[in-house]
Amino acid sequence: MSLGQSLRRTYRSLFARIVFVYLVSMIALSTTTTLVAVDQFNQLGREWLQRNEIDMAHHLTRVLQDSLDDGVDAPSTRAAVEQVMTINPALSLYALDTDGTVVGAYGPDRCGLGRRIDRGAIDELLSDMPMLPVYADMPCRGDEGVFSVAPITYGPQQQSGYLMVQLEANTDVSMANIWQTSSISRTLLIAGCVALALTLAVGLALFAFLTRRFSRLTRTVQHFAEGDYRQRSPESIDDEIGRVGRAFNDMAATIEAQVEALHDTDRQRRELIANLSHEFRTPMTSLLGYAKQLDRRPLDDETRSGLDAIRANVERLAQLADQLSQMSRANIAGRPLCPSTFSFAELANDILGKFHPRALEKGIELRVENQAAIAEVSADIELIDHALTNMVDNAITATNTGGTVSIRILEFDDARLKIGVRDTGVGIPEKEIPLISQRFYRTTVGRERGEGTGLGLAIVSEVLKRHESQLVIESKPGKGTCIWFTLPKTILDERAIRPRRLG
């Protein structure tokens, strides 16, 4: 498996998906918590400032009240405010009327004059138990800030109003400034990062432990699906995964018993077919011998016609018995493959040699077309011999006089050879192509001509399945048929002895 495939498989795994969701959730939660914490720290600082300086306006009122009696813009008032601001330059003072409108501004450029401050914030801060921090829009900055306020009277008419003191000089504090200047914030941030790392590590370990049990159960099911029916889940914990594992074990035990019963039944059936086909040969051989003896005697036309029919049917039964015997040998349950390295071109020539007298009698040309650089394959030579023999036999049966049957050997890829048996015979209707590899299925043309037993390609298909290959059938009625399959190729070094087909 390549690295890319491994990464894709890991990405699609349950563990990867859980980890992805967990990491995204933790990052989102950490970010949200950090933002909330920064905001709350900011509010806590403002609350602390307002709580400690809540009476500042009252203290300043006592200092400035005499000057305010002359008016909010009187020179005495401004001189008194400048003296106060000389002591604490960070302060900004404003005189408000009863509606909260700024009537006196003592900051730079007298900014804020005419702006209105929310009376609700003023009343809240002047209440007996204000809920701090209380914010109001600062006249000059236009943003919210904490303040101190106290009732005053001003001017010769002793108008009522308020003295408002802005307690914050600068609220634009960045996270970088907090990190650089606040040891508490830095400690809390480091502690949060460590806690997040530990939480992630513990979470990943827990997810790995949980998904490891899923992975182990999955591997057990995969091995079972591949044919290892003795696989069982080792789960013993009484939870959802454990219960699934025990349910699988119960199911696997039932399936294993059923598979063993099927194998036993199939073995008995194949043995019965092999025994019957063997027993059929003796009487059929005897019948064929008697028919040949009778054929040497002078007979009238009607009797000879009947004798020819008997002999043809006996030969067909003998062929059927032989194919049944081959199928039983090729499909015996548990029969191990015996792969060996051999030259497919030599095997093809040997098989065509066996059919040479029959082809000569029908006037059919047989040939091997080897276009592969090295036609060496690794396969069970006995089973491949059976398969190729049946394919050539079917091709000769379907080909009329003057036709051609060829075994073609081509390069499929670097690892496999492509082998085909091509004939110029009657062909197969397209709708029948998917059916011809089924047992005992005979094509329409075969039934009309009384040819075939319906077992030839079934044997071939069974043999190729054992070699992890399959039939590919190309055919057109009246133009012939070509049946392809592939086999693993073996490139041989120079050897003193080359494995060859025996017999």
Side-chain angles (χ1 to χ4, degrees):
M1 183 181 297
S2 65
L3 178 59
Q5 291 175 329
S6 300
L7 291 176
R8 284 194 296 271
R9 184 173 181 179
T10 302
Y11 174 76
R12 295 173 182 172
S13 66
L14 178 63
F15 175 74
R17 295 179 181 181
I18 292 177
V19 168
F20 176 75
V21 173
Y22 180 67
L23 289 176
V24 170
S25 302
M26 289 299 297
I27 292 173
L29 179 61
S30 300
T31 303
T32 304
T33 303
T34 301
L35 294 176
V36 171
V38 170
D39 180 68
Q40 291 303 306
F41 270 114
N42 187 27
Q43 291 200 48
L44 180 62
R46 291 181 170 189
E47 178 184 344
W48 179 86
L49 177 61
Q50 191 173 46
R51 189 176 298 277
N52 283 276
E53 304 294 342
I54 194 170
D55 294 328
M56 178 177 287
H58 291 278
H59 297 317
L60 292 177
T61 298
R62 288 195 292 270
V63 174
L64 300 175
Q65 186 60 62
D66 293 340
S67 302
L68 288 170
D69 289 341
D70 298 333
V72 294
D73 282 330
S76 59
T77 302
R78 291 198 169 277
V81 171
E82 288 178 1
Q83 185 178 2
V84 170
M85 294 181 68
T86 301
I87 299 173
N88 191 348
L91 297 179
S92 296
L93 279 68
Y94 304 94
L96 313 177
D97 63 13
T98 53
D99 292 332
T101 302
V102 177
V103 294
Y106 306 105
D109 301 327
R110 302 181 66 186
C111 64
L113 275 176
R115 297 199 61 169
R116 187 174 181 180
I117 307 301
D118 182 20
R119 273 294 306 272
I122 296 173
D123 294 338
E124 171 69 19
L125 191 61
L126 291 175
S127 64
D128 294 335
M129 296 185 65
M131 180 64 69
L132 303 181
V134 178
Y135 296 103
D137 290 335
M138 295 296 100
C140 288
R141 292 205 315 256
D143 59 349
E144 288 187 337
V146 292
F147 62 98
S148 176
V149 69
I152 59 171
T153 58
Y154 61 90
Q157 290 80 23
Q158 294 293 297
Q159 294 174 276
S160 297
Y162 303 96
L163 179 65
M164 179 179 180
V165 182
Q166 177 181 324
L167 299 178
E168 296 175 288
N170 180 20
T171 58
D172 297 328
V173 180
S174 66
M175 284 298 297
N177 291 334
I178 293 176
W179 172 259
Q180 292 172 359
T181 61
S182 174
S183 61
I184 296 177
S185 299
R186 181 177 298 185
T187 302
L188 289 175
L189 184 59
I190 293 174
C193 292
V194 172
L196 177 62
L198 290 176
T199 304
L200 290 175
V202 172
L204 294 178
L206 180 61
F207 294 147
F209 172 74
L210 293 176
T211 56
R212 181 169 59 96
R213 297 173 62 203
F214 272 119
S215 300
R216 187 166 56 212
L217 180 59
T218 301
R219 286 193 298 271
T220 300
V221 175
Q222 288 175 339
H223 290 156
F224 187 88
E226 292 170 358
D228 187 359
Y229 299 115
R230 298 186 181 278
Q231 285 287 326
R232 295 294 183 271
S233 171
E235 293 296 334
S236 58
I237 302 176
D238 189 18
D239 59 2
E240 287 78 1
I241 302 176
R243 287 192 286 273
V244 170
R246 287 193 293 274
F248 168 78
N249 291 342
D250 294 340
M251 179 195 69
T254 302
I255 293 177
E256 183 183 13
Q258 293 175 345
V259 168
E260 289 180 354
L262 287 173
H263 284 169
D264 187 60
T265 302
D266 189 59
R267 178 184 57 78
Q268 294 177 5
R269 177 179 62 82
R270 295 181 191 283
E271 289 179 355
L272 176 63
I273 291 174
N275 292 334
L276 288 176
S277 63
H278 177 74
E279 294 297 327
F280 282 159
R281 284 197 186 94
T282 301
M284 285 188 295
T285 302
S286 178
L287 285 172
L288 191 59
Y290 283 121
K292 289 181 179 180
Q293 290 180 10
L294 291 174
D295 191 40
R296 298 191 187 98
R297 298 180 182 181
L299 300 172
D300 57 72
D301 293 342
E302 183 178 357
T303 303
R304 185 169 296 282
S305 176
L307 183 61
D308 290 340
I310 291 173
R311 187 168 60 182
N313 281 281
V314 169
E315 289 176 348
R316 184 163 176 266
L317 284 174
Q319 182 184 14
L320 177 60
D322 183 62
Q323 291 190 332
L324 284 172
S325 177
Q326 291 182 30
M327 177 170 285
S328 66
R329 292 198 306 272
N331 292 292
I332 292 177
R335 178 193 185 281
L337 288 179
C338 299
S340 60
T341 299
F342 60 92
S343 169
F344 197 90
E346 293 181 9
L347 176 64
N349 281 298
D350 289 348
I351 290 175
L352 291 187
K354 294 189 296 184
F355 286 96
H356 181 72
R358 180 179 166 192
L360 188 63
E361 182 180 351
K362 290 189 65 175
I364 296 174
E365 180 186 0
L366 301 179
R367 61 188 180 200
V368 175
E369 300 175 4
N370 183 10
Q371 300 178 22
I374 300 178
E376 303 284 350
V377 296
S378 177
D380 189 317
I381 189 170
E382 181 181 355
L383 295 184
I384 296 300
D385 189 321
H386 288 320
L388 196 60
T389 297
N390 285 331
M391 292 173 69
V392 173
D393 180 60
N394 285 349
I396 292 175
T397 300
T399 303
N400 296 320
T401 300
T404 302
V405 173
S406 60
I407 300 177
R408 304 191 66 191
I409 306 172
L410 307 172
E411 298 280 357
F412 185 70
D413 55 31
D414 292 339
R416 301 182 76 84
L417 284 181
K418 183 177 181 181
I419 296 139
V421 176
R422 181 187 296 273
D423 65 63
T424 58
V426 295
I428 305 168
E430 183 178 357
K431 64 180 181 180
E432 295 189 54
I433 290 178
L435 306 174
I436 60 173
S437 60
Q438 297 179 6
R439 295 182 184 182
F440 303 107
Y441 182 84
R442 296 164 64 199
T443 63
T444 303
V445 176
R447 290 194 297 269
E448 291 174 354
R449 297 170 61 169
E451 297 173 344
T453 60
L455 285 174
L457 288 183
I459 294 173
V460 174
S461 180
E462 185 75 17
V463 169
L464 294 180
K465 284 180 182 178
R466 299 292 304 276
H467 288 80
E468 298 182 356
S469 183
Q470 60 181 0
L471 290 174
V472 178
I473 302 172
E474 301 171 357
S475 183
K476 290 185 179 180
K479 295 185 178 181
T481 301
C482 184
I483 302 179
W484 299 98
F485 63 93
T486 62
L487 286 177
K489 180 169 58 176
T490 301
I491 300 177
L492 297 177
D493 298 327
E494 294 183 1
R495 296 183 176 95
I497 300 176
R498 173 177 293 180
R500 292 175 58 89
R501 178 176 174 270
L502 300 178

